[in-house]
Amino acid sequence: MTSPIETLPKEQCFGCAACAAACPTDCIEMTYGQDGFLYPQVDESRCVACGRCEGVCPALSPAAPFNTKGEYYTVQLNDRDALARSSSGGVFWGLANEVIGRSGIVVGCAMDNDMLPTHVMACSREEVMPMQGSKYVQSYVDPELYRNIKGALDSGKLVLFTGTPCQVAALTRYLGADRPNLWTVDLVCHGVASRGVWRHYVTEIEEKHRGKVVGVSFRSKKLDAHPRNHTLLFVINRLGEKSSEAFEVGGRALDDPFGSSFYHNRILRESCYTCPFSCERRVGDFTIGDYGVLDSGLPNSDGLSFCSINSVKGRQLWEETKQRFMFERLPASYSQINLEQPTLRPSGRDAMRAMRYDSEHPERDINLRLQITLADRIKQLLPEGFKAAIKRVLHKLREAG
């Protein structure tokens, strides 16, 4: 029998693994494609064509978004230590602490021992800490995690889930109905980078510095606390030496081959360029992201978050949490480019079609050369507002064409 997931074009797949979680015969496995992203692979000999995979797939059966535009805020955490660990204004930490304080569970993205982003469950503040900070590589949501979240909700536990909009939509579809004890937080998502390309680059860093990468920050405030900072910092242990002797390397992400390739959209998942969730109507109870506007009334030297409250349930949690923050209401006219449209697909993305990928050895056999191009250098000199305006014009031209 043929599973509906088998007929889904790879260009539309989000790699969320909800199909594998929903399959009653466990015939779906997430495997790496040639571009270093995860895709479902179906063992047809075990498929019973029940259609559950289709029912939970956010590409085949999209989750219904909230009907109205949310209430927009710029937010900064009062806890200065937690703020320093955050990529921007720390809104995630504030929400997570509220849920943890009620003996709830927080589900979010942390780096595993191989420096690959993976969704995990946390029951304490210490377990939440690794979830802080941006991770611009696509995270893996193990199928078993979906089942564990459902089990926690069924037992009456409070759960806060944070992820990309497609991951939030996948969880919503998997659960099948709204849960009063679940809050979801989606991200203003630029797009997610290839896990394979990232792992390959980490291996290059390790070989260059003769050590083991044990930590990474995609927006390190140690290097630059500017609200528009784009940094990439690696923490490395030299081989054979103690972790206390770790050292750091890094700098501006746009001066880094991986960082430049990500920010110029060349290593994103194909479905990111047509993402249906890049719009004002959101699937999460909250939407959070970086807030890079310089004229905010709040102090922006330590970073600010954008936060949209999208549901009645979200508003209730916000009212119980807002004392943890300094915040200002943003005008209804405020927007960000990925609240209007998906990231534009660059011609450089075609280079990923030539990639070879060995799923058993993620560090090998990727022949995409990460590089900083002359066009990248020119783009770096353009003001943010001008670049956003150009993107909007190009998007409208493509729609008209």
Side-chain angles (χ1 to χ4, degrees), residues 73-111:
Y73 293 87
T74 179
V75 179
Q76 188 176 83
L77 193 66
N78 291 326
D79 182 338
R80 310 316 284 181
D81 291 335
L83 178 63
R85 296 192 305 267
S86 304
S87 291
S88 49
V91 65
F92 162 72
W93 179 258
L95 295 173
N97 263 267
E98 183 67 25
V99 174
I100 290 292
R102 301 187 198 180
S103 300
I105 294 170
V106 175
V107 183
C109 178
M111 304 300 273

Side-chain angles (χ1 to χ4, degrees), residues 55-191:
V56 301
C57 175
L60 293 173
S61 302
F66 293 104
N67 291 325
T68 59
K69 179 178 176 178
E71 297 176 8
Y72 291 176
Y73 293 87
T74 179
V75 179
Q76 188 176 83
L77 193 66
N78 291 326
D79 182 338
R80 310 316 284 181
D81 291 335
L83 178 63
R85 296 192 305 267
S86 304
S87 291
S88 49
V91 65
F92 162 72
W93 179 258
L95 295 173
N97 263 267
E98 183 67 25
V99 174
I100 290 292
R102 301 187 198 180
S103 300
I105 294 170
V106 175
V107 183
C109 178
M111 304 300 273
D112 67 14
N113 292 333
D114 294 320
M115 291 297 105
L116 286 170
T118 305
H119 263 64
V120 295
M121 299 181 80
C123 299
S124 69
R125 290 176 176 83
E126 291 72 24
E127 292 174 329
V128 171
M129 284 183 184
M131 299 178 188
Q132 286 186 272
S134 302
K135 287 93 175 174
Y136 295 136
V137 181
Q138 183 163 35
S139 67
Y140 174 57
V141 184
D142 190 290
E144 192 62 29
L145 185 63
Y146 284 96
R147 299 161 190 154
N148 291 340
I149 293 171
K150 183 178 184 300
L153 292 168
D154 289 345
S155 70
K157 279 282 188 179
L158 302 177
V159 176
L160 178 77
F161 178 91
T162 181
T164 59
C166 56
Q167 289 170 335
V168 170
L171 177 63
T172 301
R173 294 298 305 172
Y174 175 80
L175 294 172
D178 185 37
R179 301 297 188 96
N181 51 333
L182 169 69
W183 292 280
T184 55
V185 182
D186 69 54
L187 308 175
V188 182
C189 185
H190 164 92

Side-chain angles (χ1 to χ4, degrees), residues 351-370:
M352 293 189 74
R353 296 179 182 274
M355 290 177 60
R356 298 188 308 274
Y357 189 77
D358 184 338
S359 61
E360 294 184 2
H361 302 283
E363 72 279 10
R364 302 178 189 168
D365 295 333
I366 294 180
N367 65 0
L368 172 66
R369 179 168 177 77
L370 296 171

Side-chain angles (χ1 to χ4, degrees), residues 152-370:
L153 292 168
D154 289 345
S155 70
K157 279 282 188 179
L158 302 177
V159 176
L160 178 77
F161 178 91
T162 181
T164 59
C166 56
Q167 289 170 335
V168 170
L171 177 63
T172 301
R173 294 298 305 172
Y174 175 80
L175 294 172
D178 185 37
R179 301 297 188 96
N181 51 333
L182 169 69
W183 292 280
T184 55
V185 182
D186 69 54
L187 308 175
V188 182
C189 185
H190 164 92
V192 291
S194 166
R195 293 171 63 84
V197 172
W198 169 248
R199 184 57 204 158
H200 175 68
Y201 189 58
V202 169
T203 300
E204 286 187 351
I205 295 292
E206 291 176 334
E207 292 174 352
K208 177 180 178 180
H209 295 282
R210 299 180 181 179
K212 169 69 175 176
V213 174
V214 295
V216 63
S217 174
F218 289 91
R219 291 177 70 91
S220 171
K221 290 180 180 177
K222 289 183 180 180
L223 298 175
D224 185 0
H226 190 281
R228 287 180 184 161
N229 74 57
H230 300 288
T231 59
L232 187 55
L233 178 70
F234 294 92
V235 181
I236 301 173
N237 282 350
R238 289 202 184 279
L239 294 178
E241 297 187 6
K242 297 179 181 179
S243 59
S244 61
E245 299 173 354
F247 63 98
E248 298 175 344
V249 297
R252 283 198 346 139
L254 293 172
D255 294 329
D256 176 273
F258 179 89
S260 183
S261 295
F262 170 74
Y263 279 107
H264 293 103
N265 310 326
R266 291 192 294 270
I267 53 174
L268 305 186
R269 193 177 186 103
E270 193 68 59
S271 56
C272 295
Y273 305 112
T274 56
C275 178
F277 306 109
S278 292
C279 58
E280 291 180 339
R281 295 176 61 206
R282 310 301 295 179
V283 292
D285 297 296
F286 297 90
T287 297
I288 63 174
D290 302 318
Y291 183 79
V293 179
L294 299 179
D295 60 354
S296 170
L298 301 180
N300 58 27
S301 60
D302 294 322
L304 297 173
S305 290
F306 165 81
C307 180
S308 174
I309 303 169
N310 306 320
S311 70
V312 173
K313 190 169 55 172
R315 164 57 64 183
Q316 291 171 343
L317 182 61
W318 171 258
E319 290 297 326
E320 295 159 353
T321 309
K322 66 182 183 182
Q323 73 277 4
R324 299 177 184 270
F325 307 109
M326 294 185 290
F327 58 91
E328 284 187 343
R329 182 75 181 268
L330 290 170
S333 59
Y334 174 81
S335 191
Q336 296 187 30
I337 191 68
N338 289 111
L339 292 176
E340 298 177 357
Q341 64 191 47
T343 294
L344 294 176
R345 187 184 190 279
S347 58
R349 177 58 173 77
D350 290 330
M352 293 189 74
R353 296 179 182 274
M355 290 177 60
R356 298 188 308 274
Y357 189 77
D358 184 338
S359 61
E360 294 184 2
H361 302 283
E363 72 279 10
R364 302 178 189 168
D365 295 333
I366 294 180
N367 65 0
L368 172 66
R369 179 168 177 77
L370 296 171

